[in-house]
Amino acid sequence: MKSPLLSLPGAVPGEGPDEGVAAHYGDLFREQRALADGTGFVDLSHRGVVTVTGADRLSWLHLLITQHVSELPPGQATEALILSTHGHIEHALYIVDDGETTWAHVEPDSQGDLIAYLESMKFFYRVDIADRSDDYAVVHLPAGSITEAPEDTVVRETPHGRDLFLPRARLTDFAEASGPAIGVLAYEALRVEAHRPRVGLETDHRTIPHELGWIGSAVHLQKGCYRGQETVARVQNLGKPPRRLVFLHLDGSEVTLPSHGAPIRLASEGEEGRQLGFITSSARHHELGPIALALVKRNVPVDAELIADSTAAAQETVVEP
């Protein structure tokens, strides 16, 4: 779905999973600084929007997702995962309930598969599931923003800012009243800085929540009764995950950033050494320079100097080995 805000001056279209919205509007670092200072907004209208209504919506969702939501108060934001039977991450849902409807935004173009799974689990529960992506656009206001949400807009407020479920027909008017518009590359750079994982980038077909630090924030350990719970409990109680998320400071003298999937090796072994992991996300930060997140084998020493492709990388621990 192509955002109408791509017609704003200076807009450069995003690529990959962020196709359909602006990567930036002509000045990446200025946009990052504005976002970090709590000004402007980010167009995330390419993300999927799913709603669940009905009297049983919270108790039913509680049985399917990794988060405790059976008594979720109206207006309280939370996040949750849907796992495979083997405990591998399939979806991340960013949730708020308004007292009548549970709203969630998800990765672009993933809502179809998510809804198909949810529909298959309805059984006798009083719930209705809908894809509202054509009707509602997600807009992000950074932490500290004094911009007021339009009246009757559903708001999901977190420490990182507010996500608005804005009627799509009002997106252009909102942009005119609430600028400056900030591209998704600035949003992604601050996400990487904050070590926040993203499905499809930090995950592959075998990623489990422990590897990304999602235990606690998206996975509630005091509840069961969801698909994949056995793996979560077994790893939490009896073992360690096979991989761990790390934050990387990259060599700033390189012209290009290592791309998603770029191999991670020990610097001492060079570019022909054993692959120990891969880059999941990389970004140019307005203060830190080039940075990245990577998934590496758990036994990689926390003080080891690494290379991503040919780029030197110093690691910071995100998930303890």
Side-chain angles (χ1 to χ4, degrees), residues 5 31-32 34-45 47 77 105 137-151 153-166 171 173-183 186-187 190 196:
L5 302 191
E31 293 170 32
Q32 278 191 38
L35 198 62
D37 290 340
T39 59
F41 72 93
V42 184
D43 175 15
L44 299 178
S45 62
R47 291 186 64 81
H105 65 81
V138 179
V139 173
H140 176 76
L141 296 174
S145 170
I146 61 173
T147 298
E148 293 189 8
E151 188 176 355
T153 300
V154 176
V155 178
R156 180 179 178 273
E157 186 162 3
T158 76
H160 303 289
R162 289 172 288 160
D163 297 334
L164 312 185
F165 292 89
L166 184 72
L171 181 57
D173 289 343
F174 177 86
E176 292 177 355
S178 308
I182 292 171
Y187 179 84
L190 299 190
R196 291 186 286 134

Side-chain angles (χ1 to χ4, degrees), residues 256-289:
T256 60
L257 290 170
S259 61
H260 174 77
I264 299 289
R265 297 181 171 90
L266 291 175
S268 60
E269 295 184 1
E271 297 178 41
E272 302 302 320
R274 297 166 297 144
Q275 182 171 341
L276 303 175
F278 63 94
I279 292 287
T280 59
S281 299
S282 58
R284 295 192 185 278
H285 192 274
H286 68 288
E287 291 182 339
L288 301 177

Side-chain angles (χ1 to χ4, degrees), residues 13-85:
E15 299 178 348
D18 293 320
E19 184 179 359
V21 296
H24 61 85
Y25 294 90
D27 193 337
L28 175 60
F29 290 150
R30 179 190 59 78
E31 293 170 32
Q32 278 191 38
R33 287 190 289 270
L35 198 62
D37 290 340
T39 59
F41 72 93
V42 184
D43 175 15
L44 299 178
S45 62
H46 61 319
R47 291 186 64 81
V49 176
V50 176
T51 60
V52 183
T53 55
D56 296 334
R57 67 188 183 282
L58 291 176
S59 59
W60 172 74
L61 280 170
H62 185 81
L63 300 175
L64 303 179
I65 63 179
T66 58
Q67 188 58 270
H68 195 300
V69 296
S70 57
E71 291 91 34
L72 184 67
Q76 180 175 309
T78 192
E79 59 186 64
L81 308 176
I82 287 182
L83 308 179
S84 73
T85 55

